Amino acid sequence: MYDMDLLKHTDTVNELLARYGVKFGIYKNNQFKEQMFPFDAIPRIIKKQEFDYLEKGLKQRVLALNYFLNDIYSEKKIVKDHVIPEDFIFASSGYLAECDGVQPIKGIYPHISGIDLVQGKNGNWYILEDNLRVPSGASYPMIARDLCRRSSPETFQKFHLEDNRNYAELLRKTIDYVNAGGHTVILTPGRCNAAYFEHSYLAEKTGAHLVSGADLKVVDDKLYYINYAGELERVGAVYRRISDEYLDPMNFNPESVIGIPHIYDVYRKGNVALLNAPGNGIADDKGIYYFVPKMIRYYLGEEPVLSNAPTYLPFYEEDMKYVLEHFDELVLKDVAEAGGYGVVFGSSMTKEEKERFVALLKAEPRRFIAQEVIDFCDIDIMEGDEVVARKADLRAFVLMADEPMVWKSGLTRFSRNPDSFIVNSSQGGGFKDTWVLFQ
């Protein structure tokens, strides 16, 4: 379904994106570099019935992950009942002992989740990753849709689409639900962060203050914002875009210069909400990903609606045997890496590389997972004046207030390399709008 009027405005939209500073930053060779996130005007289209199915599965998954996080930082029943091995929890870099026994306001850990999916050529959808720490990307389809509407308003009169401009409303509802009383702020590490555009854009759209650590201060177990006049104003919720370890130098990494001393003490006492909650990294661990279907059965008593990609844990002897026997057919992932890094395809390695990797795998089996290579769908993109097919994934956003809410849109990322399955922006990918039909 192409709309030629919209396609002819592709260059205009990309020029506007550049003018508005819609970029992302990457660190390479110890240097920070900003670059454009190329936009393709051919939308990804998801029919209503199909999105309803995705919505059901995404809500189920995030609910189970929230139960897991509440459990793992309290009674740890899922470990005591031998559903997940103890080693898999406490050996994870994402598990924070400092969070043990600390419950967030209203028991919500993943206020904003970014769930990455791909659709196989058989039509089935598979979950690739759960991103529950500081997921980014919602701002790109938001602003792209807005600019496309301006460039080609006729297009959006022809097609019956869900309006994706309500993301800010959903985000504000999510934040307000747990606000402990006071201002809402979006905490950014600063201009050189990869997702700084998104921080500023969401602050504008939600009416929140965009702040750095220097703008916030803890006094008498409360958090305050220092306004333009130097006066202190109470903060009740912090949508933080800073990793756990840099959030509070008094409780986490003492070398952090971008966090707020003692903010975690304020959080521990229930006097401020932190979104997302500290400690969510254990649910992001690619090794824990293997157990999410078991979590759904354990906590909800239901069968998973959406499937994981077929995954093997070399931690288990039988899985290690399978991985070694089928090495060339699998993709191997370092559980602690993100952004498309730490991903290698067995078939692409030389004999020497394979030997080195197998030795590392045997030495550190908890460090890796192996997955079947899903032949996921190609989608059309414009390359010059030509329509070509490229691999693409979908990051769906689930927000949690009194119940999970799935945004009827999403970030579709695609590879610009015809031979690559890696779609991440940091690896040179582009993005497109995701149209969800409402009838």
Side-chain angles (χ1 to χ4, degrees):
M1 187 192 300
Y2 304 150
D3 184 81
M4 297 312 297
D5 185 65
L6 177 59
L7 295 191
K8 72 183 183 184
H9 288 94
T10 299
D11 290 343
T12 301
V13 173
N14 273 294
E15 287 167 7
L16 288 169
L17 289 170
R19 185 184 303 172
Y20 289 130
V22 185
K23 302 176 180 178
F24 67 92
I26 56 173
Y27 284 94
K28 196 169 184 179
N29 300 323
N30 295 318
Q31 289 188 328
F32 178 76
K33 180 184 177 183
E34 277 192 320
Q35 60 190 61
M36 290 297 298
F37 194 6
F39 172 71
D40 183 76
I42 301 176
R44 172 180 226 148
I45 297 173
I46 303 178
K47 294 180 180 177
K48 181 184 185 304
Q49 184 177 4
E50 188 168 29
F51 195 84
D52 288 348
Y53 161 77
L54 291 177
E55 184 176 33
K56 181 180 178 182
L58 290 164
K59 286 182 176 181
Q60 179 195 57
R61 192 172 181 97
V62 171
L63 274 173
L65 285 164
N66 191 51
Y67 276 119
F68 165 71
L69 287 162
N70 274 279
D71 181 23
I72 214 64
Y73 287 117
S74 57
E75 297 181 71
K76 302 173 180 59
K77 291 180 180 178
I78 200 165
V79 174
K80 294 173 183 174
D81 289 340
H82 307 290
V83 178
I84 300 178
E86 189 174 36
D87 287 354
F88 254 83
I89 302 299
F90 303 118
S92 172
S93 60
Y95 177 80
L96 296 184
E98 297 88 345
C99 296
D100 201 44
V102 180
Q103 291 291 298
I105 293 172
K106 298 185 178 177
I108 300 174
Y109 280 86
H111 306 88
I112 303 101
S113 302
I115 310 297
D116 293 344
L117 309 98
V118 294
Q119 187 175 27
K121 288 187 175 177
N122 59 4
N124 294 334
W125 287 87
Y126 299 92
I127 304 283
L128 283 190
E129 285 186 11
D130 303 294
N131 298 284
L132 277 70
R133 278 176 283 190
V134 192
S136 63
S139 61
Y140 298 109
M142 286 172 71
I143 192 168
R145 178 79 63 88
D146 183 50
L147 296 177
C148 286
R149 281 181 177 277
R150 287 195 230 167
S151 301
S152 180
E154 299 83 4
T155 297
F156 297 91
Q157 294 168 0
K158 294 178 194 174
F159 300 104
H160 302 290
L161 311 181
E162 293 285 356
D163 192 340
N164 78 345
R165 289 175 291 186
N166 69 336
Y167 184 83
E169 179 186 329
L170 296 177
L171 180 57
R172 190 75 209 207
K173 177 181 178 181
T174 299
I175 296 171
D176 289 349
Y177 184 70
V178 293
N179 191 305
H183 288 291
T184 290
V185 300
I186 294 180
L187 175 62
T188 177
R191 183 68 185 80
C192 289
N193 183 263
Y196 181 76
F197 162 75
E198 176 155 295
H199 307 166
S200 58
Y201 187 74
L202 293 178
E204 176 191 343
K205 292 298 181 181
T206 59
H209 296 287
L210 181 66
V211 302
S212 65
D215 299 315
L216 299 176
K217 185 177 182 179
V218 171
V219 179
D220 296 332
D221 295 326
K222 302 284 195 311
L223 183 68
Y224 293 91
Y225 163 63
I226 306 170
N227 70 15
Y228 68 96
E231 301 164 337
L232 299 182
E233 299 183 24
R234 175 81 187 275
V235 173
V238 178
Y239 178 21
R240 49 100 181 197
R241 303 300 296 254
I242 290 179
S243 299
D244 290 351
E245 60 268 33
Y246 299 112
L247 185 61
D248 182 346
M250 309 305 292
N251 283 278
F252 301 113
N253 185 344
E255 296 182 2
S256 173
V257 295
I258 57 174
I260 303 96
H262 298 294
I263 190 175
Y264 190 68
D265 300 316
V266 179
Y267 167 77
R268 187 187 284 118
K269 293 182 179 181
N271 291 337
V272 71
L274 296 178
L275 299 88
N276 282 338
N280 280 10
I282 182 62
D284 270 10
D285 186 303
K286 292 181 177 68
I288 295 298
Y289 158 94
Y290 173 89
F291 296 98
V292 177
K294 295 185 179 186
M295 291 179 200
I296 292 170
R297 297 184 186 101
Y298 181 79
Y299 293 116
L300 303 179
E302 301 169 358
E303 283 301 308
V305 174
L306 293 168
S307 300
N308 279 8
T311 304
Y312 307 94
L313 295 184
F315 177 84
Y316 292 127
E317 186 177 339
E318 61 184 305
D319 281 18
M320 174 70 86
K321 183 173 183 290
Y322 182 90
V323 170
L324 296 178
E325 289 175 352
H326 298 83
F327 194 85
D328 289 352
E329 304 161 27
L330 302 172
V331 55
L332 292 303
K333 297 181 179 180
D334 189 318
V335 300
E337 294 281 2
Y341 295 100
V343 177
V344 292
F345 290 81
S347 59
S348 67
M349 294 187 195
T350 64
K351 182 180 178 182
E352 293 74 20
E353 289 171 336
K354 197 176 300 183
E355 288 173 353
R356 286 196 298 269
F357 192 93
V358 167
L360 181 60
L361 188 65
K362 289 179 177 178
E364 301 181 56
R366 170 63 178 85
R367 181 177 165 183
F368 299 96
I369 64 170
Q371 292 180 323
E372 303 284 353
V373 179
I374 296 174
D375 189 11
F376 53 96
C377 288
D378 298 302
I379 62 174
D380 289 342
I381 70 165
M382 292 297 297
E383 194 169 86
D385 296 326
E386 185 182 0
V387 176
V388 297
R390 295 290 184 266
K391 300 298 181 187
D393 76 351
L394 171 67
R395 174 164 290 182
F397 291 90
V398 185
L399 297 96
M400 177 91 81
D402 53 336
E403 61 179 2
M405 303 171 290
V406 180
W407 184 37
K408 288 181 167 52
S409 185
L411 174 65
T412 291
R413 301 174 295 183
F414 61 86
S415 171
R416 290 192 289 166
N417 180 344
D419 301 316
S420 177
F421 283 72
I422 307 295
V423 301
N424 304 73
S425 55
S426 56
Q427 304 293 308
F431 82 101
K432 56 174 65 211
D433 195 1
T434 305
W435 289 6
V436 177
L437 305 183
F438 68 71
Q439 64 181 29

PDB file of all heavy atoms in Angstrom, residues 185-199:
ATOM      1  N   VAL A 185       9.846  15.526  36.277  1.00  0.00           N
ATOM      2  CA  VAL A 185      11.039  15.932  35.534  1.00  0.00           C
ATOM      3  C   VAL A 185      11.531  14.767  34.686  1.00  0.00           C
ATOM      4  O   VAL A 185      11.310  13.599  35.018  1.00  0.00           O
ATOM      5  CB  VAL A 185      12.178  16.410  36.471  1.00  0.00           C
ATOM      6  CG1 VAL A 185      11.732  17.608  37.297  1.00  0.00           C
ATOM      7  CG2 VAL A 185      12.681  15.285  37.367  1.00  0.00           C
ATOM      8  N   ILE A 186      12.165  15.105  33.563  1.00  0.00           N
ATOM      9  CA  ILE A 186      12.859  14.116  32.753  1.00  0.00           C
ATOM     10  C   ILE A 186      14.348  14.358  32.954  1.00  0.00           C
ATOM     11  O   ILE A 186      14.863  15.444  32.655  1.00  0.00           O
ATOM     12  CB  ILE A 186      12.476  14.209  31.272  1.00  0.00           C
ATOM     13  CG1 ILE A 186      10.993  13.841  31.103  1.00  0.00           C
ATOM     14  CG2 ILE A 186      13.354  13.290  30.416  1.00  0.00           C
ATOM     15  CD1 ILE A 186      10.479  13.887  29.678  1.00  0.00           C
ATOM     16  N   LEU A 187      15.013  13.370  33.514  1.00  0.00           N
ATOM     17  CA  LEU A 187      16.426  13.488  33.881  1.00  0.00           C
ATOM     18  C   LEU A 187      17.304  12.975  32.748  1.00  0.00           C
ATOM     19  O   LEU A 187      17.265  11.794  32.406  1.00  0.00           O
ATOM     20  CB  LEU A 187      16.688  12.694  35.166  1.00  0.00           C
ATOM     21  CG  LEU A 187      18.142  12.602  35.629  1.00  0.00           C
ATOM     22  CD1 LEU A 187      18.710  13.993  35.943  1.00  0.00           C
ATOM     23  CD2 LEU A 187      18.238  11.691  36.863  1.00  0.00           C
ATOM     24  N   THR A 188      18.081  13.874  32.164  1.00  0.00           N
ATOM     25  CA  THR A 188      18.961  13.520  31.051  1.00  0.00           C
ATOM     26  C   THR A 188      20.421  13.587  31.493  1.00  0.00           C
ATOM     27  O   THR A 188      20.774  14.441  32.313  1.00  0.00           O
ATOM     28  CB  THR A 188      18.747  14.464  29.852  1.00  0.00           C
ATOM     29  OG1 THR A 188      19.663  14.137  28.809  1.00  0.00           O
ATOM     30  CG2 THR A 188      18.953  15.921  30.242  1.00  0.00           C
ATOM     31  N   PRO A 189      21.274  12.711  30.964  1.00  0.00           N
ATOM     32  CA  PRO A 189      22.701  12.846  31.244  1.00  0.00           C
ATOM     33  C   PRO A 189      23.342  14.002  30.504  1.00  0.00           C
ATOM     34  O   PRO A 189      24.485  14.359  30.765  1.00  0.00           O
ATOM     35  CB  PRO A 189      23.293  11.513  30.787  1.00  0.00           C
ATOM     36  CG  PRO A 189      22.248  10.812  30.039  1.00  0.00           C
ATOM     37  CD  PRO A 189      20.950  11.519  30.203  1.00  0.00           C
ATOM     38  N   GLY A 190      22.601  14.579  29.522  1.00  0.00           N
ATOM     39  CA  GLY A 190      23.127  15.754  28.853  1.00  0.00           C
ATOM     40  C   GLY A 190      23.145  15.663  27.344  1.00  0.00           C
ATOM     41  O   GLY A 190      22.728  14.672  26.743  1.00  0.00           O
ATOM     42  N   ARG A 191      23.641  16.728  26.749  1.00  0.00           N
ATOM     43  CA  ARG A 191      23.602  16.907  25.302  1.00  0.00           C
ATOM     44  C   ARG A 191      24.326  15.812  24.532  1.00  0.00           C
ATOM     45  O   ARG A 191      23.983  15.514  23.385  1.00  0.00           O
ATOM     46  CB  ARG A 191      24.230  18.272  24.979  1.00  0.00           C
ATOM     47  CG  ARG A 191      24.218  18.656  23.512  1.00  0.00           C
ATOM     48  CD  ARG A 191      22.796  18.908  23.032  1.00  0.00           C
ATOM     49  NE  ARG A 191      22.746  19.166  21.598  1.00  0.00           N
ATOM     50  CZ  ARG A 191      22.787  18.233  20.665  1.00  0.00           C
ATOM     51  NH1 ARG A 191      22.886  16.958  21.012  1.00  0.00           N
ATOM     52  NH2 ARG A 191      22.716  18.535  19.393  1.00  0.00           N
ATOM     53  N   CYS A 192      25.329  15.202  25.139  1.00  0.00           N
ATOM     54  CA  CYS A 192      26.121  14.196  24.428  1.00  0.00           C
ATOM     55  C   CYS A 192      25.568  12.781  24.580  1.00  0.00           C
ATOM     56  O   CYS A 192      26.233  11.825  24.177  1.00  0.00           O
ATOM     57  CB  CYS A 192      27.572  14.246  24.890  1.00  0.00           C
ATOM     58  SG  CYS A 192      28.436  15.721  24.310  1.00  0.00           S
ATOM     59  N   ASN A 193      24.381  12.648  25.164  1.00  0.00           N
ATOM     60  CA  ASN A 193      23.772  11.325  25.237  1.00  0.00           C
ATOM     61  C   ASN A 193      23.174  10.947  23.893  1.00  0.00           C
ATOM     62  O   ASN A 193      22.681  11.809  23.152  1.00  0.00           O
ATOM     63  CB  ASN A 193      22.680  11.303  26.309  1.00  0.00           C
ATOM     64  CG  ASN A 193      22.064   9.927  26.469  1.00  0.00           C
ATOM     65  OD1 ASN A 193      21.018   9.646  25.902  1.00  0.00           O
ATOM     66  ND2 ASN A 193      22.728   9.061  27.216  1.00  0.00           N
ATOM     67  N   ALA A 194      23.215   9.658  23.563  1.00  0.00           N
ATOM     68  CA  ALA A 194      22.746   9.178  22.256  1.00  0.00           C
ATOM     69  C   ALA A 194      21.296   9.565  21.977  1.00  0.00           C
ATOM     70  O   ALA A 194      20.918   9.806  20.831  1.00  0.00           O
ATOM     71  CB  ALA A 194      22.919   7.666  22.169  1.00  0.00           C
ATOM     72  N   ALA A 195      20.469   9.611  23.024  1.00  0.00           N
ATOM     73  CA  ALA A 195      19.032   9.845  22.830  1.00  0.00           C
ATOM     74  C   ALA A 195      18.597  11.220  23.335  1.00  0.00           C
ATOM     75  O   ALA A 195      17.442  11.406  23.714  1.00  0.00           O
ATOM     76  CB  ALA A 195      18.230   8.750  23.533  1.00  0.00           C
ATOM     77  N   TYR A 196      19.503  12.199  23.323  1.00  0.00           N
ATOM     78  CA  TYR A 196      19.158  13.509  23.878  1.00  0.00           C
ATOM     79  C   TYR A 196      17.963  14.141  23.163  1.00  0.00           C
ATOM     80  O   TYR A 196      17.117  14.779  23.796  1.00  0.00           O
ATOM     81  CB  TYR A 196      20.353  14.456  23.821  1.00  0.00           C
ATOM     82  CG  TYR A 196      20.038  15.813  24.416  1.00  0.00           C
ATOM     83  CD1 TYR A 196      19.968  15.977  25.800  1.00  0.00           C
ATOM     84  CD2 TYR A 196      19.771  16.903  23.599  1.00  0.00           C
ATOM     85  CE1 TYR A 196      19.659  17.211  26.348  1.00  0.00           C
ATOM     86  CE2 TYR A 196      19.460  18.144  24.145  1.00  0.00           C
ATOM     87  CZ  TYR A 196      19.397  18.288  25.512  1.00  0.00           C
ATOM     88  OH  TYR A 196      19.079  19.504  26.060  1.00  0.00           O
ATOM     89  N   PHE A 197      17.888  13.985  21.841  1.00  0.00           N
ATOM     90  CA  PHE A 197      16.728  14.539  21.142  1.00  0.00           C
ATOM     91  C   PHE A 197      15.444  14.037  21.775  1.00  0.00           C
ATOM     92  O   PHE A 197      14.494  14.800  22.011  1.00  0.00           O
ATOM     93  CB  PHE A 197      16.736  14.168  19.655  1.00  0.00           C
ATOM     94  CG  PHE A 197      15.382  14.331  19.030  1.00  0.00           C
ATOM     95  CD1 PHE A 197      14.889  15.586  18.744  1.00  0.00           C
ATOM     96  CD2 PHE A 197      14.557  13.221  18.805  1.00  0.00           C
ATOM     97  CE1 PHE A 197      13.599  15.751  18.230  1.00  0.00           C
ATOM     98  CE2 PHE A 197      13.281  13.376  18.283  1.00  0.00           C
ATOM     99  CZ  PHE A 197      12.802  14.651  17.991  1.00  0.00           C
ATOM    100  N   GLU A 198      15.385  12.730  22.041  1.00  0.00           N
ATOM    101  CA  GLU A 198      14.164  12.163  22.608  1.00  0.00           C
ATOM    102  C   GLU A 198      13.859  12.749  23.984  1.00  0.00           C
ATOM    103  O   GLU A 198      12.696  13.029  24.304  1.00  0.00           O
ATOM    104  CB  GLU A 198      14.282  10.643  22.700  1.00  0.00           C
ATOM    105  CG  GLU A 198      13.086   9.989  23.380  1.00  0.00           C
ATOM    106  CD  GLU A 198      12.880   8.562  22.959  1.00  0.00           C
ATOM    107  OE1 GLU A 198      12.578   8.345  21.773  1.00  0.00           O
ATOM    108  OE2 GLU A 198      13.029   7.670  23.807  1.00  0.00           O
ATOM    109  N   HIS A 199      14.874  12.934  24.806  1.00  0.00           N
ATOM    110  CA  HIS A 199      14.658  13.488  26.143  1.00  0.00           C
ATOM    111  C   HIS A 199      13.975  14.853  26.045  1.00  0.00           C
ATOM    112  O   HIS A 199      12.990  15.131  26.731  1.00  0.00           O
ATOM    113  CB  HIS A 199      15.987  13.633  26.893  1.00  0.00           C
ATOM    114  CG  HIS A 199      16.802  12.390  26.934  1.00  0.00           C
ATOM    115  ND1 HIS A 199      18.134  12.373  27.303  1.00  0.00           N
ATOM    116  CD2 HIS A 199      16.485  11.097  26.656  1.00  0.00           C
ATOM    117  CE1 HIS A 199      18.603  11.144  27.236  1.00  0.00           C
ATOM    118  NE2 HIS A 199      17.626  10.355  26.848  1.00  0.00           N
TER     119      HIS A 199
END
